[in-house]
Amino acid sequence: MSSVVEPTTTAARPSGLEDRSFFGHPRGLSTLFFTEMWERFSFYGMRAFLILYMVHALGFDDRHAGSVYGTYTASVWAAAIFGGIIADRWLGQYKSVLIGGIIIALGHFTLAFHALPAFYAGLGLIVLGTGLLKPNVSGIVGSLYETNDARRDAGFSIFYMGINLGAALGPLIAGYLAQRVDWHVGFACAGVGMTAGLIQYVLGRRRLQPAVERLERQRREARAAAERERASATTKPTEPTFWGFTTVEWKRLGAMVVFFVFAAVFWGAYEQAGSTLNLFGDRFTRTSILAFSFPSSWFPSVQAIFVIVLSPAFAWLWIRLGKLEPSTPTKFAFGLLFTGLSFVLLLIPAFHIQDSPGIRVSPFWLIGCYFIQELGELCISPVGLSVFTKLSPVKIVGSMLGLWFLADAVGNKVAGYAAGFISSAPLPQLFGVVAGVCIGASLIAFLLIKPVRGLMGGVH
Ligand code: GLN
């Protein structure tokens, strides 16, 4: 403050660095918060009734509906792998989010038409648009901050709240319209939500300028560093490598493969909220509490509400535990255990339904199941994303995040496949298999804690 002349370096102008106008965070975070909130509103709003629409309105049998559901949701996550690459190579992050959002909105509006070709075209557009938008909107959040900015993690937590706020509201509003008014009004509502997100994204574009410029700069610097590394590699002897990676890097890649497998099992169970458990809610659950009746597509919103409620508790818990905070492999093992237990809970109503066909069980079984599942999600989803960014060798971090999305894709396809059994296998057997796989995977994960920590080579 008291110094007379500040040296003017390139970083002298605080390009957003000092901006604390949104709860202590750069203003651009509010723009991205609402863009992603509306995008998730449209995505989860439509996902909440997609399989119901297929079985009730399109007349698909469970197996076919489950398969289409699985292929669609798996493709959404797989497309995200390419969305990151397209932004890096050609479009840049700002435009990728904009164009992605426009394609998503068009997709939902296409679904508002009745014809079957419109149905598939709409799903295809949402896949393309989400692939373009989803990885890049998070990318811009990251670059609102300099790499060493202490507010960064908190920024991502706020952003995660936006995601789940949208995921909570979407089913409540679009799901209600779809099931109580008209399916196609539900789809259109998702499109309107995405449009609202786009409008405020464009209006807020100036707030994103510093982040977009920082991204450009980081990309240029990374390219220059890669050049320098290549030049010096020819002159000075380096650590021995195999296929360009050191032993330490290979070990870390090994740890990531283990996390990938466990994450795929986890998402395979968790994503059944949109498939198997959605049909379970629709067919076997009372959709009323006291005198209040609600559409079954409201159930998936419970997941997101629990994320919002439990996230601060988890953040507090990890800080409170300090040095005792469990390692990432331990959190993964607990995450799988909770997810397995959530399906164990469902065995009780499942046996009940098997014994007295035609009855509908209390909605609190599903709500309880989602509560336990969320304890699992919070041990895996945010933790996994962060550990992938830390474990990956710098030059392939984009591809490794792609691998993380791929776990989602695999899990979603499995979740759709599982839904196909809801009418052909006894419910206790179906839920029992899911519970067994998760608990089995969790036991293996507990056994692997030590070796995986060894592979991680000191990364926490
Ligand atoms: N609920 C989070 C989101 O929608 C994460 C979901 C996931 O990775 N499958 O972004």
Side-chain angles (χ1 to χ4, degrees):
M1 277 295 185
S2 59
S3 69
V4 189
V5 184
E6 289 285 332
T8 32
T9 64
T10 46
R13 245 188 63 75
S15 52
L17 182 65
E18 297 307 325
D19 182 358
R20 292 177 168 271
S21 50
F22 181 64
F23 297 111
H25 288 264
R27 194 79 224 166
L29 184 62
S30 111
T31 302
L32 298 171
F33 178 99
F34 289 109
T35 307
E36 183 59 345
M37 185 195 88
W38 282 116
E39 186 270 329
R40 292 285 95 183
F41 171 97
S42 74
F43 181 78
Y44 284 109
M46 179 277 222
R47 168 183 174 272
F49 62 86
L50 175 62
I51 201 161
L52 305 177
Y53 171 72
M54 285 191 272
V55 295
H56 290 304
L58 297 179
F60 289 3
D61 63 31
D62 291 346
R63 196 161 292 239
H64 186 44
S67 164
V68 172
Y69 174 92
T71 304
Y72 158 70
T73 49
S75 308
V76 165
W77 289 103
I81 302 171
F82 302 105
I85 299 173
I86 292 173
D88 281 343
R89 298 252 166 101
W90 295 290
L91 285 177
Q93 267 72 11
Y94 178 81
K95 270 197 216 142
S96 299
V97 171
L98 180 64
I99 297 173
I102 294 172
I103 299 176
I104 293 172
L106 288 176
H108 288 295
F109 288 129
T110 306
L111 289 169
F113 291 94
H114 284 252
L116 196 59
F119 175 68
Y120 288 113
L123 293 184
L125 287 170
I126 299 172
V127 166
L128 294 179
T130 313
L132 212 45
L133 182 145
K134 183 80 170 131
N136 295 312
V137 70
S138 320
I140 310 180
V141 175
S143 55
L144 287 170
Y145 309 91
E146 293 292 348
T147 330
N148 53 3
D149 192 325
R151 295 173 299 168
R152 203 186 164 82
D153 280 358
F156 270 104
S157 304
I158 295 176
F159 182 70
Y160 209 61
M161 287 289 170
I163 288 181
N164 285 289
L165 199 57
L169 293 174
L172 296 182
I173 300 172
Y176 179 87
L177 291 172
Q179 280 186 289
R180 292 284 162 92
V181 181
D182 184 296
W183 298 108
H184 300 277
V185 176
F187 288 124
C189 168
V192 170
M194 186 65 251
T195 309
L198 278 171
I199 292 172
Q200 71 85 40
Y201 180 69
V202 173
L203 291 178
R205 69 189 176 282
R206 274 216 308 281
R207 298 171 179 169
L208 299 175
Q209 201 56 31
V212 172
E213 280 168 12
R214 188 172 295 130
L215 266 173
E216 291 294 327
R217 199 184 70 220
Q218 283 167 347
R219 202 173 302 145
R220 274 199 309 274
E221 286 171 0
R223 232 175 271 146
E227 284 295 323
R228 274 199 304 277
E229 195 183 306
R230 216 170 300 144
S232 67
T234 52
T235 54
K236 70 167 192 269
T238 49
E239 205 180 327
T241 60
F242 180 65
W243 278 2
F245 297 116
T246 64
T247 322
V248 174
E249 286 175 329
W250 273 113
K251 283 189 180 167
R252 289 183 180 164
L253 287 170
M256 291 163 86
V257 170
V258 177
F259 289 134
F260 167 83
V261 174
F262 288 140
V265 174
F266 166 73
W267 292 118
Y270 180 88
E271 291 291 340
Q272 292 189 39
S275 60
T276 323
L277 299 186
N278 221 352
L279 293 175
F280 178 78
D282 192 48
R283 293 176 190 173
F284 303 113
T285 304
R286 267 198 314 279
T287 47
S288 60
I289 294 177
L290 298 176
F292 178 72
S293 126
F294 55 89
S296 63
S297 53
W298 279 18
F299 280 119
S301 118
V302 172
Q303 270 187 324
I305 293 171
F306 279 135
V307 180
I308 297 172
V309 175
L310 290 171
S311 291
F314 268 68
W316 175 84
L317 179 70
W318 301 147
I319 292 172
R320 190 67 213 265
L321 285 173
K323 277 214 176 79
L324 294 177
E325 177 177 348
S327 65
T328 302
T330 315
K331 286 182 185 170
F332 263 67
F334 274 112
L336 285 163
L337 180 64
F338 283 126
T339 313
L341 292 179
S342 75
F343 278 87
V344 170
L345 180 73
L346 285 186
L347 285 175
I348 303 172
F351 277 117
H352 218 68
I353 292 162
Q354 198 183 28
D355 291 342
S356 344
I359 64 154
R360 281 177 175 263
V361 298
S362 160
F364 286 104
W365 291 112
L366 261 185
I367 296 174
C369 160
Y370 286 145
F371 176 80
I372 306 174
Q373 248 177 43
E374 281 318 318
L375 300 177
E377 168 173 3
L378 290 170
C379 288
I380 292 188
S381 176
V383 181
L385 185 64
S386 144
V387 83
F388 263 62
T389 57
K390 290 182 197 158
L391 283 175
S392 170
V394 182
K395 56 187 165 193
I396 55 163
V397 71
S399 316
M400 284 295 121
L401 284 180
L403 186 69
W404 176 249
F405 288 136
L406 198 63
D408 256 308
V410 173
N412 270 286
K413 186 63 197 162
V414 172
Y417 178 71
F421 290 98
I422 194 156
S423 45
S424 56
L427 278 183
Q429 196 174 325
L430 178 56
F431 293 156
V433 168
V434 181
V437 170
C438 290
I439 293 175
S442 138
L443 293 180
I444 298 173
F446 275 114
L447 291 176
L448 288 180
I449 289 174
K450 246 195 155 164
V452 173
R453 282 180 68 172
L455 290 177
M456 289 169 70
V459 168
H460 297 296

